[in-house]
C-alpha cells in the first residue's frame, strides 16, 4: 500500500492506549504486537498477539474509533503504519474488507482460545504455547523476553515462570540468557504445550491461508 510508512519499533513501545482515538493502523512485518487488558493496580495480561498475518485496527473495522485495549510492541521489529482515515476508506473495497473480517475472526478466535487455555492448562503448557507462537512469528530468532515480562503476559507469578523456564531449558527445549530466549527444540516444546497452539495455528491457516 503506497500510503504506508515503514517504521521500526523497540520492544515495549506503546502504540495505543485505552480510550484514545485510533490515528493509525499497524501491519507487523518482523515486529509482534500484544493486545493487553489493563487493571486498576497497573497490571496487564495479554489477550492476543498480532504478527505479520494480521494488523491492529479491529475497532476501526467494526466501526469504533476509540481504543478498548492497549497495543504494545512485544517483539521489536518493523511494521507498516497506515493512517486510520486511509484504512477506513479501504474498508469500502470488497476484497480488503473480506480480508480484514477474516483477520478479525482469527484474532477473536485466538482471544477465546487463550481465555479457555488460562483456565484449563497449567503454566508449563501455557508458556510452551506462548513461546511456540512467538518462535513462529520471530522466524526462529532470539527474542528479548524477561521472566518478569512473561509473568505479566501469562498472568502468573514471576517465580512460576522462572521455575518452568528452567525446566524447559534443562530439557533442551529452549535457551535463555540475559533476557534473550530462543526455542531450540520445536517438536519437543510442542509436546510440552497444550492443544491450544495447534487450534489457533489451524484457525489462522484456514482463515488467512496466504499470511
Amino acid at each position: 500500500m503506497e500510503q504506508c510508512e515503514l517504521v521500526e519499533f523497540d520492544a515495549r513501545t506503546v502504540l495505543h492506549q485505552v480510550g484514545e482515538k485510533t490515528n493509525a493502523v499497524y501491519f507487523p512485518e518482523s515486529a509482534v504486537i500484544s493486545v493487553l487488558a489493563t487493571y486498576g493496580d497497573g497490571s496487564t495480561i495479554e489477550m492476543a498477539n498480532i504478527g505479520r498475518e494480521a494488523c491492529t485496527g479491529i475497532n476501526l473495522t467494526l466501526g469504533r474509533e476509540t481504543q478498548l485495549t492497549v497495543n504494545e510492541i512485544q517483539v521489536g521489529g518493523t511494521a507498516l503504519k497506515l493512517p486510520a482515515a486511509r484504512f477506513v476508506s479501504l474498508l469500502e473495497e470488497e476484497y480488503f474488507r473480506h480480508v480484514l473480517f477474516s483477520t478479525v475472526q482469527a484474532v477473536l478466535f485466538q482471544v477465546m482460545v487463550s481465555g479457555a487455555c488460562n483456565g484449563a492448562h497449567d503454566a508449563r503448557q501455557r508458556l510452551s504455547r506462548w513461546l511456540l507462537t512467538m518462535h513462529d512469528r520471530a522466524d526462529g530468532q532470539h527474542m528479548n523476553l524477561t521472566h518478569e515480562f512473561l509473568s505479566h503476559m501469562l498472568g502468573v507469578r514471576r517465580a512460576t515462570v522462572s521455575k518452568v523456564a528452567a525446566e524447559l531449558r534443562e530439557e533442551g527445549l529452549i535457551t535463555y540468557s540475559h533476557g534473550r530466549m530462543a526455542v531450540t527444540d520445536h517438536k519437543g516444546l510442542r509436546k510440552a504445550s497444550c492443544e491450544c497452539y495447534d487450534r489457533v495455528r489451524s484457525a489462522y491457516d484456514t482463515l488467512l491461508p496466504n499470511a
Side-chain angles (χ1 to χ4, degrees):
M1 288 180 283
E2 295 180 358
Q3 295 189 34
C4 283
E5 174 190 359
L6 181 64
V7 288
E8 185 163 359
F9 293 107
D10 293 327
R12 316 301 175 259
T13 301
V14 176
L15 302 178
H16 302 116
Q17 292 279 14
V18 174
E20 70 180 21
K21 183 177 179 179
T22 305
N23 57 13
V25 173
Y26 296 89
F27 297 79
E29 291 193 329
S30 59
V32 180
I33 300 170
S34 277
V35 180
L36 303 175
T38 57
Y39 297 90
D41 62 358
S43 63
T44 59
I45 295 179
E46 184 182 78
M47 296 187 293
N49 47 66
I50 298 171
R52 56 179 172 266
E53 76 291 334
C55 65
T56 64
I58 286 178
N59 57 311
L60 293 174
T61 305
L62 300 177
R64 183 183 178 89
E65 289 188 337
T66 55
Q67 288 287 138
L68 294 176
T69 60
V70 173
N71 290 338
E72 178 182 290
I73 297 294
Q74 181 187 101
V75 176
T78 57
L80 294 173
K81 178 181 179 180
L82 181 67
R86 178 55 178 154
F87 178 85
V88 171
S89 69
L90 285 171
L91 286 173
E92 297 177 4
E93 299 181 12
E94 183 177 357
Y95 177 74
F96 187 80
R97 185 170 62 252
H98 172 74
V99 172
L100 261 295
F101 282 142
S102 294
T103 297
V104 169
Q105 188 175 353
V107 173
L108 290 179
F109 182 78
Q110 182 192 163
V111 172
M112 290 187 289
V113 170
S114 294
C117 184
N118 289 343
H121 300 127
D122 60 31
R124 175 185 170 91
Q125 293 171 308
R126 290 163 55 202
L127 178 59
S128 298
R129 172 182 64 85
W130 197 91
L131 290 175
L132 286 167
T133 301
M134 291 305 100
H135 174 84
D136 293 346
R137 289 175 172 167
D139 294 325
Q141 300 300 311
H142 279 81
M143 300 168 284
N144 295 319
L145 302 169
T146 65
H147 291 184
E148 183 71 23
F149 175 72
L150 289 170
S151 71
H152 290 309
M153 293 299 99
L154 297 174
V156 299
R157 296 172 58 246
R158 184 186 184 282
T160 300
V161 171
S162 297
K163 177 178 180 295
V164 173
E167 291 174 357
L168 297 177
R169 182 171 64 177
E170 289 172 5
E171 294 168 23
L173 306 181
I174 66 171
T175 61
Y176 66 82
S177 178
H178 305 295
R180 287 173 59 80
M181 190 172 290
V183 174
T184 51
D185 183 349
H186 191 279
K187 185 177 180 179
L189 193 61
R190 205 161 177 170
K191 290 181 179 179
S193 178
C194 51
E195 63 266 34
C196 296
Y197 169 74
D198 288 318
R199 285 185 179 181
V200 173
R201 183 167 179 171
S202 176
Y204 271 84
D205 288 343
T206 300
L207 292 165
L208 304 166
N210 297 319

